[in-house]
Amino acid sequence: MTVLTRRAAAMLVMAVCTVYFLTPLWWLFVGATKSGGRGVGLWFDHFQLGANVRAVLTYQDGIFVRWLVNSVGYTVGAAALGTLLAGMCGYALAKYRFPGREAIFNVVLGGVLVPATALALPLFLLFSKAHAANTFWAVFLPSLVNPFGVYLARIYAASSVPDELLEAARIDGSGEVRTFFTLSVRLMAPAFVTIFLFHFVAVWNNFLLPLIMLGNQKLFPVTLGLYTWNSQVDQRPELRGLVLVGAFVSLAPMIIAFLALQRFWRSGLGAGSIK
Amino acid sequence: MTGPRGARRHLPAIAFFVTPFAALFALFYLVPIGYAIVQSLYKVERTGTFGPAREVFGGLAQYRRVFTDSPFWHSVERVLLFGVVQVPIMLGLALILALLLDSGLVRGKRFFRLAFFLPYAVPGVVAAIMWGYLYSPNLSPFTAVTANLDLLGADLVLWSIANVVTWVYVGYNMLILYSALLAIPPEIYEAARIDGAGVIRTAWSIKIPMVRPAIVLTTVFSIIGTLQLLAEPQVFRSFSSAVSSTYTPNLTVYATSSVPNFHLAAAFSVVLALATFVLSFSFLKFTQRRGAR
């Protein structure tokens, strides 16, 4: 095979895959611009995206806006705080030797293998006992825990924060906690960004926990809201169009964020996956 | 790393770093697991048909029901079949795409990387709704396909769901593998170049062995994901009558807890978590042993 045919074959595979991955998204975009939620077809007719979006955002006194805000609240809060906590823990596991270190790491690693969905039901029972199911906190607090983040942070801290630097900071009289927040955090920044992004997507996509935990529509994240609309389509046909437009509206910010943050997705990953 | 003597001096700092995560992990991971096990050992007893219900210790009664519950075991078989077919296809495709991106044969790498990764931004629920429409004969733009193939029928719906999962996760797995490929030091390719090894030869005998840990990692995550399958089939229930309320193990847990029969649902959860743990753990051990050879 010549280089040229090889190149052509490689590009053909790439092109076919691009069509496969992007067509559904394109179809959703086109479908969101049509009238009456007739999703058929891959090209525009009666372009009325603005009116459709307005219809979704104002339906039932703007419940959809509420869902979007909830999703952002659950996700950004849990991912930011969760990343910090996982990062601190992973950093301590990498940089200090202390009794119980290996035990903690192994238990946390076991936590990576325990499916989060297996926890949803007992969490619901526990929160019900505390009369706290069906609240914001019932979804938010469990979403803070990210064992895989601890694992990534430990690997990254071990390879990117030199002991000599910490020793030098000690000699300069800097306390351990201050050194972490002024020095180590900066060295670990790529890992922090990666952990944050994965955590963000995981919480944004979480379905079972809110499904089991929440009864009050006003607390739903947008995924659960769309699911509820979609399962009511038979009784309320007007929802069919709203589901498509709502799906599009909920995806748009995520896709824009992905495009804007794409260079960060890789940086912290390499360290975690080669070891 | 600080030695054991330094550790005592730094103990307050270590506690400051570790305690918040450890406390949350204990509260929202360990306690629920323990609680599920406790709940699974109880049962509800009634005096007479309409008498008041009491919770009494039932020993392994719930587990006996789990092991004789044939819909549950059918659903386990179903996700195992799903995993045996879907995971290799998804990871194979992810690996091929990562190798192609890394091979120097492809122009416009940044565009393709992004295009393949974009579906990962789509939550499972939304992806399932979208594909559900695409599969429905009266809504799909692909009428030539949907008119001849009943993608939502009992025979094919499992593979229609497999396609949704593949669509979402190929790019994510590709990115992990591609990052691992980029982390290979370039000196390693020197010898291969001198030996005159071609693109395919280099990929097969150098790149794939070098990214083995990443392949193992993505496989473990995929095994866990498959056994936990929930959002996609749950959404498909409104598109296809072939997807029952016990279609996957997790759907069974959800359906049982909505009855509500929390004790039995807890037993299902425990068995499922244990099976997932054992399966992913033994896969890790198996690959480690083979890797050490």
Side-chain angles (χ1 to χ4, degrees):
Chain A
M1 230 186 338
T2 68
V3 175
L4 209 64
T5 49
R6 252 183 211 168
R7 225 174 251 283
M11 289 307 280
L12 185 69
V13 174
M14 291 284 144
V16 170
C17 286
T18 306
V19 171
Y20 170 63
F21 288 116
L22 294 189
T23 305
L25 292 173
W26 171 254
W27 170 85
L28 183 69
F29 171 57
V30 172
T33 67
K34 293 186 177 181
S35 66
R38 284 171 300 139
V40 188
L42 288 171
W43 199 247
F44 306 100
D45 56 51
H46 306 295
F47 191 92
Q48 52 163 36
L49 181 62
N52 287 344
V53 170
R54 219 168 306 128
V56 168
L57 298 184
T58 54
Y59 188 76
Q60 286 180 347
D61 303 323
I63 189 80
F64 191 81
V65 178
R66 178 90 199 221
W67 292 342
L68 280 176
V69 172
N70 290 344
S71 270
V72 171
Y74 290 126
T75 310
V76 175
L81 197 54
T83 301
L84 178 67
L85 300 184
M88 288 191 334
C89 186
Y91 172 79
L93 292 175
K95 287 289 141 192
Y96 301 95
R97 200 170 295 160
F98 56 92
R101 187 178 70 130
E102 285 310 309
I104 293 179
F105 186 63
N106 285 331
V107 171
V108 170
L109 212 57
V112 176
L113 300 185
V114 171
T117 52
L119 302 171
L121 175 69
L123 278 171
F124 167 73
L125 297 175
L126 284 167
F127 272 90
S128 305
K129 271 226 152 117
H131 302 288
N134 202 14
T135 63
F136 173 83
W137 301 106
V139 173
F140 181 81
L141 290 175
S143 305
L144 285 171
V145 190
N146 178 6
F148 189 59
V150 175
Y151 170 79
L152 280 182
R154 178 187 161 144
I155 287 174
Y156 202 86
S159 66
S160 71
V161 184
D163 288 327
E164 298 76 32
L165 211 61
L166 297 182
E167 211 45 64
R170 265 170 217 139
I171 292 167
D172 285 349
S174 166
E176 300 300 312
V177 174
R178 209 184 98 199
T179 308
F180 172 76
F181 282 105
T182 53
L183 198 71
S184 311
V185 161
R186 231 169 288 167
L187 293 171
M188 290 171 68
F192 273 98
V193 175
T194 306
I195 296 169
F196 176 82
L197 290 172
F198 278 114
H199 198 153
F200 185 95
V201 173
V203 181
W204 186 272
N205 292 355
N206 196 355
F207 176 64
L208 182 61
L209 187 65
L211 175 72
I212 284 193
M213 224 31 122
L214 302 175
N216 179 358
Q217 284 221 356
K218 289 202 163 141
L219 293 172
F220 282 9
V222 70
T223 44
L224 188 55
L226 282 172
Y227 162 78
T228 316
W229 275 1
N230 188 59
S231 42
Q232 292 167 358
V233 159
D234 285 339
Q235 295 93 47
R236 290 148 77 187
E238 82 270 17
L239 282 174
R240 174 157 288 152
L242 294 183
V243 167
L244 276 189
V245 181
F248 172 75
V249 173
S250 76
L251 284 188
M254 280 297 272
I255 288 182
I256 291 167
F258 264 50
L259 296 179
L261 293 172
Q262 60 149 327
R263 68 196 180 89
F264 291 111
W265 277 105
R266 250 192 27 227
S267 44
L269 256 182
S273 45
I274 194 95
K275 298 218 164 63
Chain B
M1 174 124 28
T2 32
R5 263 192 47 214
R8 215 161 304 140
R9 197 152 39 89
H10 300 313
L11 222 48
I14 296 170
F16 174 83
F17 290 135
V18 176
T19 314
F21 179 86
L24 288 172
F25 184 81
L27 262 175
F28 299 120
Y29 257 80
L30 301 182
V31 171
I33 292 171
Y35 192 66
I37 294 171
V38 171
Q39 285 295 307
S40 68
L41 296 176
Y42 279 80
K43 62 181 181 183
V44 174
E45 218 164 56
R46 284 170 198 281
T47 36
T49 320
F50 300 106
R54 284 184 311 134
E55 292 192 353
V56 294
F57 186 77
L60 297 177
Q62 303 295 355
Y63 290 94
R64 265 194 294 279
R65 286 181 64 186
V66 168
F67 283 100
T68 52
D69 187 284
S70 65
F72 178 72
W73 293 103
H74 278 304
S75 74
V76 171
E77 265 170 45
R78 192 174 290 122
V79 290
L80 287 179
L81 174 67
F82 180 102
V84 167
V85 176
Q86 189 265 343
V87 172
I89 290 179
M90 172 178 71
L91 294 182
L93 187 58
L95 183 61
I96 289 171
L97 293 178
L99 287 169
L100 281 173
L101 283 178
D102 192 54
S103 68
L105 289 172
V106 171
R107 268 163 219 267
K109 276 194 286 203
R110 275 187 49 176
F111 168 78
F112 290 120
R113 208 178 67 203
L114 197 63
F116 303 163
F117 186 52
L118 220 45
Y120 183 58
V122 182
V125 175
V126 176
I129 292 176
M130 217 164 64
W131 279 99
Y133 276 68
L134 290 171
Y135 293 147
S136 299
N138 44 356
L139 295 164
S140 176
F142 309 109
T143 37
V145 180
T146 52
N148 296 312
L149 269 181
D150 185 7
L151 294 170
L152 295 168
D155 294 336
L156 285 180
V157 72
L158 185 66
W159 309 116
S160 300
I161 295 174
N163 175 53
V164 179
V165 178
T166 306
W167 181 79
V168 172
Y169 287 104
V170 163
Y172 163 79
N173 288 301
M174 176 200 77
L175 201 72
I176 293 180
L177 298 170
Y178 182 56
S179 305
L181 284 170
L182 289 181
I184 298 175
E187 304 88 77
I188 291 186
Y189 299 132
E190 277 307 303
R193 255 232 320 272
I194 292 165
D195 286 349
V199 183
I200 293 168
R201 191 62 213 282
T202 314
W204 185 253
S205 5
I206 299 178
K207 290 182 178 179
I208 291 181
M210 285 294 286
V211 298
R212 235 182 87 99
I215 297 175
V216 171
L217 185 81
T218 51
T219 311
V220 168
F221 283 164
S222 304
I223 292 175
I224 297 175
T226 303
L227 286 166
Q228 303 316 309
L229 214 57
L230 173 92
E232 293 84 0
Q234 177 77 3
V235 169
F236 267 66
R237 296 201 56 204
S238 53
F239 293 110
S240 164
S241 55
V243 182
S244 64
S245 66
T246 55
Y247 199 70
T248 70
N250 248 333
L251 277 180
T252 311
V253 173
Y254 178 64
T256 314
S257 67
S258 331
V259 168
N261 187 344
F262 293 129
H263 303 297
L264 182 59
F268 278 134
S269 272
V270 171
V271 170
L272 185 59
L274 211 61
T276 311
F277 189 86
V278 168
L279 210 63
S280 43
F281 190 75
S282 41
F283 180 79
L284 274 176
K285 284 288 153 213
F286 172 73
T287 48
Q288 268 170 11
R289 191 152 7 108
R290 282 198 47 195
R293 241 185 1 198

